[in-house]
Amino acid sequence: HGQVAFALVGDMVVVLDDVDVDGSTAKALKFYDAETGEERQQIVPACPDVEQFFPDDYLSHNSQTFLDETTGELVFLFGTTFVHQMCLQKWDALSGEMVWETRLPEGILPHTSTQGGFFTESSFSPSAAYTPEYLLTTLAIEPESSKASVVKLDLSNGEIAFQLTDQDYE
């Protein structure tokens, strides 16, 4: 379906794996030295509730994770279960630092599942188009239905470049 189990970034092997966060299971990207197998770093993206009312949301089975193996840029698109809002984050995989984070407008949610894998430049997604400049993906506009919207996200700043909504598109 377009996702891969592992990728190479520089001299590191990257895998998506389950981790325990405060008694709950979340997804993390783990980076291992390709020669020794030693774990170098781990990225566990969190989408905090700005009001601090709900607990942080983490990557899950319906999150979308995109990796540019050449530049080491990572993009995470994942939603908060309680407030129905998407977090979009860009990370530098080599340094393990977040570049920026933004929240998409309320009411648009992931439309498909990656089933635990992540997307790379060499592995195309059936539900998204990714370049270092933008992410074009489908997001649900009515959480209880199959209605979807095509959204282009500007990856230089995390803003929506355009959103195409057609009530007949499912």
Side-chain angles (χ1 to χ4, degrees):
H1 287 354
Q3 67 264 23
V4 295
F6 68 92
L8 289 172
V9 175
D11 61 348
M12 295 183 291
V13 176
V14 186
V15 297
L16 189 61
D17 197 8
D18 290 339
V19 292
D20 180 67
V21 179
D22 300 327
S24 296
T25 301
K27 301 279 184 198
L29 277 153
K30 295 182 178 181
F31 296 77
Y32 296 92
D33 186 292
E35 189 172 321
T36 67
E38 179 182 333
E39 186 175 333
R40 284 202 197 161
Q41 69 179 358
Q42 180 173 274
I43 294 177
V44 185
C47 187
D49 175 26
V50 291
E51 303 294 324
Q52 296 296 305
F53 186 75
F54 296 108
D56 292 354
D57 195 38
Y58 295 92
L59 293 182
S60 67
H61 70 280
N62 65 347
S63 301
Q64 296 183 9
T65 302
F66 300 89
L67 170 65
D68 185 324
E69 296 163 292
T70 306
T71 65
E73 290 183 340
L74 278 163
V75 175
F76 299 104
L77 180 63
F78 55 111
T80 55
T81 307
F82 297 107
V83 295
H84 294 102
Q85 197 168 20
M86 297 292 296
C87 244
L88 180 67
Q89 295 177 351
K90 186 174 186 178
W91 289 68
D92 180 331
L94 298 175
S95 70
E97 300 290 324
M98 188 185 333
V99 178
W100 50 253
E101 173 186 83
T102 188
R103 283 183 178 265
L104 301 183
E106 194 171 335
I108 56 176
L109 298 170
H111 192 59
T112 58
S113 170
T114 64
Q115 300 174 348
F118 57 95
F119 303 107
T120 66
E121 193 173 334
S122 59
S123 181
F124 298 100
S125 162
S127 60
Y130 168 80
T131 72
E133 293 80 30
Y134 70 88
L135 173 62
L136 185 68
T137 189
T138 56
L139 298 173
I141 56 172
E142 297 175 14
E144 304 305 319
S145 78
S146 59
K147 299 294 181 187
S149 178
V150 177
V151 178
K152 181 178 180 183
L153 302 165
D154 184 336
L155 296 181
S156 68
N157 56 21
E159 295 180 5
I160 293 179
F162 75 75
Q163 180 174 341
L164 172 64
T165 303
D166 184 337
Q167 291 302 317
D168 294 327
Y169 176 60
E170 296 186 17

